Amino acid sequence: MEAIQQIIKSTKAYYCLECGKCTSVCPISRREPAYSPRLTVERAMWGEGEELLTDALLWSCLTCQHCSERCPSDVYYAEFIRDLRALARGAGEQGLCSHGEAIQTWMRMMASPDLKQNRLKWLDEDLKVCTLQQALRQAQEGPQDTANSDIVYFVGCLPYYDVLFTKIGAQGVEIAQSAVRVLNRLGIEPIILENERCCGHDLLWEGDVTNFRKLAELNVAMLQATGAKRIITACPECYRTLSVDYPEYVGSLGMEVVHISQLLAERLVGSWKLEVGSWKKVTYQDPCRLGRFMGVYEEPRQVISALGLELVEMNHSGKNALCCGTNCWTNCGAINKQIQVDRLREARATGAELLVTACAKCQIHFKCALDDARLDQEIGIEIRDLVTLVDAALAQEEGGSKA
Amino acid sequence: MAETEPRVVVFTCNWSAYGALETAGSQRLAYPANVRPIRVICLGRLHPGLILKAFELGADGVLLLGCPPGECYYEFGNERAEELFKETRAIAHLLGIEDERLMLDWVGAGEGEAFVQKVTEFYRQATCWRDL
Ligand code: SF4
Ligand code: SF4
């Protein structure tokens, strides 16, 4: 099949040495012996590509890039899977979705250009933001009196996740509220789009390129209309997607995209020494999109130390960090739960009192694993998002008691 | 869209609303042809994903019809239904879908007339949203 040959080429799968390093680090392979990235690459090379497209294992990969990090030949395995999934979908495969496909469904519904969302209810009165109308005026008439409104805060799906996952204790819009409050403290009143769409990350990595493009085009048009220069996001997936995939699939945004940890590292470190109340020792989960995909390892750690917290690393960290166990809401089952539990055991073993996450989804997946009462003694640990910690610390500094 | 008639999906519990639908049938009571009942074994078996899917595929309204309070065939299925109804409404609200377009109601197994009356009224309202 021509298309498969093309994928082998573009992801450099033909460089594969059959060394099996990928399979030896793959968290799925560890729990599901039938799944092997090495064998998958080999099968594509042997001309069994078409069979791969109908194999249920195609949907098992977490696209966490742990394998590529180890691959001596630089095979882009995650992209290899992503593109095979797109082919499979094109051939009528449905893929595997968790949560009754609710999440993918709302993402696809957002691809409609006429959608009028009610997604800004979380914007409490104390949060200072600039609406699109103000931004448009600014773009036409030059700077207005609002501070720094050449910065967009791209919220992502937090208001939606809030509905489904706060019942398991995950922080949803709380992360967005913290992000805006922290930006305000830095003198930034960000532009927020009332009809922002999902960035499309999950649809892309699940092979639904058609709807990904629609979402991307709608977002690019809205973002460019603001005339802003910088986009800040607190979600590693939005960060990766806007900065790498939008240019590749729909064209450049012409704007700088920053993960909030980078901004905080730049502005916090060295200038403020903040104390967060009850925790002393913490550990940190590198999100795969922020770490292995975008190479942002240091900044979140700098922010953690700026908060006066002692960081103790897990057995696997940085480039070698273990995935939180699920990606793009595909195929969550016993194996994924096992990976989450394994990771939480590592977190517990550090002796940390708190696990800091920088991705809302890592937090959701871990909290979901924690929901298992039988394991609470073994894996129970408090989990908070980095931005909410910074927010709590700043509030404390102001004399409040937010922590 | 060329189609002018609204499209309404009614999820019916096997043990109550679907029974009511069959009763209505045996009594030769009619309801609008664009009402599409979907039988599920229990409303508690639904999922926000399934309900959203109906909207994605172009439903103007979705009505969930289950067992009266305290009469669930599986004891707590209708409580589940209530939870997932609230969750789905919250997501639908974010997506700009008006609350009235997703409703939860109940009907007993033998109540053919009540079934027809409820779905017809819901359908009539759906006609109004269409005209908006
Ligand atoms: S690590 Fe790379 S070279 Fe080795 S088997 Fe896997 S894909 Fe092939
Ligand atoms: S991307 Fe992650 S889950 Fe997929 S094969 Fe590589 S290591 Fe395994």
Side-chain angles (χ1 to χ4, degrees):
Chain A
M1 199 180 180
E2 182 69 23
I4 294 174
Q5 290 308 319
Q6 191 50 44
I7 295 171
I8 291 175
K9 241 181 164 164
S10 65
T11 58
K12 298 201 281 179
Y14 55 78
Y15 274 147
C16 175
L17 304 168
E18 304 180 39
C19 68
K21 285 191 171 108
C22 47
T23 305
S24 72
V25 291
C26 172
I28 297 285
S29 302
R30 189 173 308 152
R31 294 282 175 187
E32 166 59 275
Y35 180 72
S36 154
R38 180 195 59 79
L39 190 61
T40 310
V41 171
E42 289 317 298
R43 287 180 60 192
M45 305 289 288
W46 296 335
E48 292 178 17
E50 281 179 60
E51 286 150 52
L52 285 178
L53 300 186
T54 52
D55 191 332
L57 289 173
L58 181 64
W59 308 93
S60 300
C61 172
L62 303 165
T63 69
C64 69
Q65 225 180 71
H66 207 149
C67 50
S68 301
E69 196 61 50
R70 285 302 173 83
C71 176
S73 292
D74 235 0
V75 172
Y76 295 120
Y77 188 80
E79 286 81 357
F80 172 76
I81 287 293
R82 179 194 67 192
D83 296 349
L84 282 182
R85 285 178 180 173
L87 270 192
R89 260 182 211 279
E93 291 294 317
Q94 303 256 318
L96 289 171
C97 296
S98 56
H99 297 279
E101 219 183 312
I103 300 171
Q104 285 85 353
T105 305
W106 82 50
M107 289 169 173
R108 285 193 304 265
M109 288 170 83
M110 281 195 218
S112 151
D114 309 321
L115 195 71
K116 299 256 176 311
Q117 298 172 78
N118 302 300
R119 50 177 295 142
L120 297 184
K121 286 255 159 62
W122 55 274
L123 270 176
D124 292 342
E125 268 175 28
D126 68 313
L127 302 172
K128 293 198 268 313
V129 298
C130 169
T131 63
L132 183 60
Q133 283 78 8
Q134 287 167 310
L136 287 176
R137 240 181 68 209
Q138 177 178 268
Q140 282 161 8
E141 301 167 17
Q144 307 287 312
D145 46 2
T146 37
N148 271 312
S149 15
D150 58 348
I151 295 180
V152 177
Y153 168 46
F154 194 87
V155 181
C157 288
L158 289 169
Y160 288 82
Y161 292 143
D162 200 80
V163 176
L164 286 187
F165 300 114
T166 43
K167 63 177 180 234
I168 56 166
Q171 295 172 296
V173 295
E174 206 184 324
I175 298 175
Q177 288 166 332
S178 287
V180 173
R181 217 174 283 124
V182 169
L183 290 175
N184 286 171
R185 282 291 305 254
L186 297 175
I188 299 166
E189 291 179 15
I191 301 167
I192 294 199
L193 303 173
E194 53 185 341
N195 268 308
E196 180 193 300
R197 302 303 205 277
C198 163
C199 72
H201 170 279
D202 295 349
L203 295 183
L204 176 65
W205 288 89
E206 246 184 21
D208 185 354
V209 183
T210 312
N211 282 303
F212 167 73
R213 266 186 217 282
K214 288 188 192 162
L215 291 172
E217 277 160 8
L218 289 166
N219 276 329
V220 168
M222 279 185 285
L223 286 164
Q224 285 179 339
T226 63
K229 298 192 181 71
R230 221 178 189 200
I231 301 167
I232 292 174
T233 166
C235 171
E237 297 184 345
C238 297
Y239 170 48
R240 143 86 198 190
T241 307
L242 265 58
S243 50
V244 178
D245 299 313
Y246 279 16
E248 192 180 323
Y249 285 82
V250 298
S252 166
L253 269 167
M255 298 155 97
E256 185 194 8
V257 187
V258 190
H259 184 258
I260 196 160
S261 67
Q262 297 172 298
L263 180 84
L264 290 173
E266 188 184 296
R267 307 281 279 266
L268 272 181
V269 176
S271 52
W272 288 337
K273 194 81 188 165
L274 302 166
E275 296 285 330
V276 194
S278 33
W279 312 285
K280 290 199 171 55
K281 258 170 129 185
V282 305
T283 188
Y284 170 67
Q285 165 74 13
D286 287 277
C288 50
R289 265 54 185 167
L290 196 59
R292 281 188 288 265
F293 278 71
M294 300 299 289
V296 179
Y297 297 107
E298 282 316 308
E299 290 87 337
R301 290 177 164 80
Q302 288 164 357
V303 175
I304 289 172
S305 343
L307 295 174
L309 297 166
E310 182 196 343
L311 176 67
V312 274
E313 297 287 358
M314 285 184 262
N315 237 342
H316 298 84
S317 69
K319 288 185 173 165
N320 210 10
L322 289 182
C323 171
C324 67
T326 321
N327 197 349
C328 48
W329 311 105
T330 303
N331 199 6
C332 181
I335 292 165
N336 307 80
K337 228 19 82 196
Q338 265 310 326
I339 297 172
Q340 288 156 10
V341 168
D342 288 348
R343 187 59 166 161
L344 287 166
R345 284 212 171 91
E346 278 198 0
R348 274 283 289 249
T350 61
E353 298 127 8
L354 176 73
L355 169 58
V356 181
T357 52
C359 170
K361 286 191 193 166
C362 294
Q363 187 178 115
I364 290 169
H365 301 319
F366 286 141
K367 290 234 163 121
C368 178
L370 282 181
D371 214 27
D372 187 338
R374 290 164 306 170
L375 285 173
D376 192 48
Q377 292 294 317
E378 290 167 55
I379 61 172
I381 188 166
E382 216 179 323
I383 308 176
R384 295 274 193 122
D385 187 90
L386 183 65
V387 188
T388 65
L389 288 181
V390 175
D391 181 26
L394 290 173
Q396 211 175 38
E397 197 201 37
E398 269 179 352
S401 55
K402 284 228 65 181
Chain B
M1 210 187 286
E3 197 172 351
T4 49
E5 296 292 299
R7 283 186 290 181
V8 160
V9 170
V10 184
F11 285 103
T12 57
C13 158
N14 181 56
W15 305 103
S16 55
Y18 197 77
L21 177 151
E22 288 189 317
T23 310
S26 65
Q27 294 173 347
R28 302 197 171 271
L29 300 173
Y31 59 84
N34 257 13
V35 170
R36 324 230 167 135
I38 298 177
R39 176 168 64 156
V40 288
I41 196 68
C42 168
L43 274 198
R45 170 262 175 266
L46 279 176
H47 189 283
L50 283 172
I51 302 170
L52 287 177
K53 187 104 196 161
F55 285 112
E56 187 196 9
L57 295 178
D60 295 286
V62 178
L63 176 63
L64 316 181
L65 275 183
C67 301
E71 291 175 31
C72 171
Y73 189 83
Y74 301 107
E75 275 184 60
F76 54 80
N78 48 7
E79 291 164 30
R80 272 283 146 75
E82 182 131 21
E83 286 163 27
L84 69 90
F85 162 72
K86 284 188 186 144
E87 228 169 60
T88 314
R89 243 201 187 177
I91 297 171
H93 178 79
L94 286 166
L95 288 166
I97 295 170
E98 300 77 6
D99 283 357
E100 318 84 74
R101 290 177 57 193
L102 173 60
M103 297 295 246
L104 171 67
D105 204 347
W106 47 266
V107 62
E111 303 177 280
E113 237 170 274
F115 176 86
V116 169
Q117 185 254 320
K118 280 175 202 266
V119 298
T120 310
E121 175 57 20
F122 188 71
Y123 180 80
R124 195 188 59 74
Q125 287 172 14
T127 317
C128 305
W129 310 321
R130 264 244 136 160
D131 295 340
L132 284 180

